[in-house]
Amino acid sequence: MDVRLELYRQMVRMRAMEKRAYDLFLRGLVKGTSHLSTGQEAVAAGFAAAMRADDYTFATYRGHAHTLARGAPMAGILAELMGRGNGLMSGKGGSMHLTSTEHGMMGSYAIVGAHLPIAGGAAWSAQLRGSEQVAVCFFGDGTANIGAFHEALNLAAVWQLPVVYVCENNQYMEYTPIRAVTAVERPAADRAAAYGLERVVVDGNDVDAVYETALGALGKAREGGGPSLIEADTYRHGGHSRADPATYRPQREVEEWLARDPVPAYRTKLLAAGIAESQLAGIEDAAARETDEATKAAEDGPLPEPALVERDLWADGGAAWRN
């Protein structure tokens, strides 16, 4: 039961943080755009709970929840979104590049699919070192239609790399429904057989199912069983980004998915399992307090120093061109 309470705690924290990020964006405090994963929390929470502290996470630009789930401080995430010096990356990365290597969060990638081969490289490193670490790479449904997806899956299968590729199928690419531009029904799972992999589909709004699926795939990879490709069915509550009102989605479809919201659904499930209402309310109150405190710390953070622009461009920490 401790695991289930932790799953709920993480989802509530993710929801509270992203709601606050949206509010900060409307106030003009979040720099640039942002891509929220509201409605997709069960995927991030379920996998993070199943991973070891030294495993690797690779995410898309919709990576706020994944970063928080791996243990990065909420204040550092919000400060990064606001371009403040106390952000995870001192304000240089922003929403689309969240990274916290000390927490195993190896980056959010703005270029669609760019991280799939890199996750394979991290898995190859773990394989060569015999560390039993696993790389978990999250990507959207649209990524399954680009070359990097196929190249990464093929190499991972050939070399039997300890990597788990997770398609967060939220039903839409940017503004286009994935089913309208894909030759198979399931963009990831229906292609697994081409690489000798099992077809795995999980309800991405059921955090228990995600957690169990993650445990199986991670265990397989750790034991030398090679890669897995998992397709998690889910839905983003809002548009592609904060600039997208998502008016292209049928209202009935939106209502049906909102009725399957993973956070209240899991709350109901925990209550039915005998968890006290007061215990769940305590988790929710703690998340609200953490969000308020993180917001204040982020807003109070300094602006980055101009000299920072010439730091950390190369592995030696500097910006001098090397030929």
Side-chain angles (χ1 to χ4, degrees), residues 112-131:
V112 174
H115 58 313
L116 273 72
I118 300 172
W124 187 27
S125 167
Q127 184 185 68
L128 290 174
R129 291 181 287 109
S131 66

Side-chain angles (χ1 to χ4, degrees), residues 1 3-5 7-8 11 42-43 45-47 50 202-215 262 265-266 269-270 273:
M1 192 55 73
V3 172
R4 301 186 80 184
L5 287 174
L7 290 170
Y8 184 66
M11 288 199 295
V43 180
F47 267 90
V202 64
D203 181 352
N205 280 16
D206 182 342
V207 72
D208 285 333
V210 173
Y211 175 67
E212 292 298 328
T213 300
L215 283 177
Y266 201 54
K269 190 174 184 179
L270 292 177

